[in-house]
Amino acid sequence: MRNSLRRLITLTIATVVAGLFGTAAGFAAVIAAAGGPLLRIDTRSSTDVASTSSTSFVNLPNAHVRIVIPATGGSRLVVARFSAESTCGGTSLPSFCQVRIIAFNTGTSVTTEMHPQAGVNFAFDSVSVPAGASDAAEGHSVERSLRLDPGTYLIRVQWAVTAADTNFNLDDWHLTVSQYD
């Protein structure tokens, strides 16, 4: 009985301590979504080189897919993947080249960043060290998801840089947008 009580107390203390440290170590929320059968896939791609030095997010030319979620079917899980050949050059350190994927509701004009909603905290590419060194082209990708209610949306790729002297180039890009029940 005494050993059982000791084990129970030890287990309880260990559980409480693990819970406290687990909570303290991870303040970030996990966003979970589930979908049923695949309903539709749309793709866009381009081999044209595009360039920006914009420090605010702007639309990547032609990198969008129009989707319609019918009012009769309820919401859908939308998953968007974007990959591209990228170069990110400049003299400021640290400087990053950023990509995000948004859902623009054409009926309400509301823009929602897809999950995870990292804002300016997702570096698609970064300036080479030492600053000003030439950047070789590499392949990079990002995948985002969001459950959307019925409506018409443009799923768009946007891009930006963190310093005005940074030049961000993308080419050979591919965008895939999948809809799940």
Side-chain angles (χ1 to χ4, degrees):
M1 173 88 172
R2 207 167 182 200
N3 284 339
S4 295
L5 183 57
R6 238 186 245 157
R7 269 190 251 146
L8 180 60
I9 292 171
T10 302
L11 182 58
T12 302
I13 292 171
T15 302
V16 169
V17 169
L20 288 174
F21 284 113
T23 302
F27 286 108
V30 173
I31 306 299
L38 176 63
L39 300 173
R40 182 177 176 94
I41 296 177
D42 292 282
T43 65
R44 301 290 183 273
S45 60
S46 175
T47 57
D48 294 339
V49 177
S51 182
T52 191
S53 292
S54 175
T55 55
S56 58
F57 281 106
V58 294
N59 298 332
L60 176 64
N62 302 312
H64 65 273
V65 169
R66 181 181 175 271
I67 65 170
V68 177
I69 301 174
T72 57
S75 67
R76 289 188 182 170
L77 177 63
V78 177
V79 177
R81 282 181 300 283
F82 175 77
S83 61
E85 183 178 85
S86 171
T87 60
C88 183
T91 56
S92 297
L93 288 177
S95 184
F96 303 101
C97 293
Q98 304 166 313
V99 167
R100 72 177 184 176
I101 303 175
I102 62 158
F104 175 75
N105 184 318
T106 62
T108 64
S109 297
V110 171
T111 298
T112 305
E113 183 177 0
M114 297 178 77
H115 294 299
Q117 296 172 337
V120 297
N121 290 325
F122 179 75
F124 189 79
D125 201 350
S126 58
V127 171
S128 298
V129 175
S134 70
D135 184 34
E138 317 96 11
H140 296 275
S141 65
V142 59
E143 183 170 20
R144 297 291 189 256
S145 64
L146 187 64
R147 184 159 283 284
L148 294 172
D149 290 325
T152 302
Y153 298 86
L154 291 175
I155 306 301
R156 293 186 188 264
V157 176
Q158 294 187 323
W159 58 335
V161 297
T162 57
D165 71 341
T166 301
N167 190 45
F168 187 12
N169 297 301
L170 292 175
D171 77 354
D172 302 332
W173 59 259
H174 187 81
L175 172 64
T176 302
V177 178
S178 305
Q179 296 180 53
Y180 298 88
D181 197 15

